[in-house]
Amino acid sequence: MHPFRTAVENRDADAIEALLAEDVVFTSPVAFKPYAGKAITAAILRGVMRVFEDFRYVREIADPDGRDHALVFAATVGGREIQGCDFLHFDEEGRIDDFTVMVRPLSAAQALSEAMGAQFERISREAAGA
């Protein structure tokens, strides 16, 4: 099991943040523009932990060199069942430098967008305070 998966399943925000590269780029399933940087990415991931209920990874897929991982997940958000995948790329130091999330179905993606929108003022404050 990959350390990132372990950190997420343990809801360990500090361990998650420690695995992010300073220049990580986070591509959200519900935002048009990617977010660049460790502070904002860590704050977004803390927000996600607040809005997802019953989060669990159901599959882990890795390339042979270990630089790319796909972590398939299921959760509930706003009363909607959501399925998704975290696509992670790791730099030479083993830190996540590219993080893309995709989710389905559309109704759950919309619920996620609303829930994260309600979190975004707090997320922005957390990122600014980092």
Side-chain angles (χ1 to χ4, degrees):
M1 188 178 315
H2 194 276
F4 179 80
R5 178 178 179 174
T6 301
V8 170
E9 289 179 341
N10 290 331
R11 301 182 61 79
D12 186 342
D14 292 335
I16 293 168
E17 187 169 354
L19 289 166
L20 299 175
E22 290 297 327
D23 62 348
V24 62
V25 175
F26 179 82
T27 304
S28 164
V30 296
F32 175 74
K33 183 176 146 189
Y35 297 92
K38 184 175 184 173
I40 188 66
T41 300
I44 290 168
L45 295 175
R46 287 191 299 273
V48 169
M49 287 195 298
R50 291 189 293 266
V51 303
F52 275 159
E53 301 168 25
D54 304 318
F55 183 91
R56 62 212 172 274
Y57 283 118
V58 296
R59 185 176 313 141
E60 182 173 341
I61 305 162
D63 72 340
D65 73 5
R67 300 275 307 268
D68 289 288
H69 271 66
L71 298 167
V72 181
F73 64 84
T76 304
V77 61
R80 303 273 185 189
E81 291 292 321
I82 192 166
Q83 296 172 320
C85 191
D86 293 336
F87 295 97
L88 310 175
H89 181 268
F90 296 86
D91 64 16
E92 292 178 3
E93 286 87 42
R95 290 192 176 80
I96 300 166
D97 62 0
D98 188 67
F99 191 135
T100 299
V101 181
M102 294 187 183
V103 297
R104 67 159 306 277
L106 178 59
S107 61
Q110 290 168 328
L112 177 61
S113 179
E114 290 172 16
M116 289 302 291
Q119 291 280 320
F120 222 80
E121 185 176 322
R122 179 176 176 180
I123 289 168
S124 296
R125 284 193 315 268
E126 288 178 6

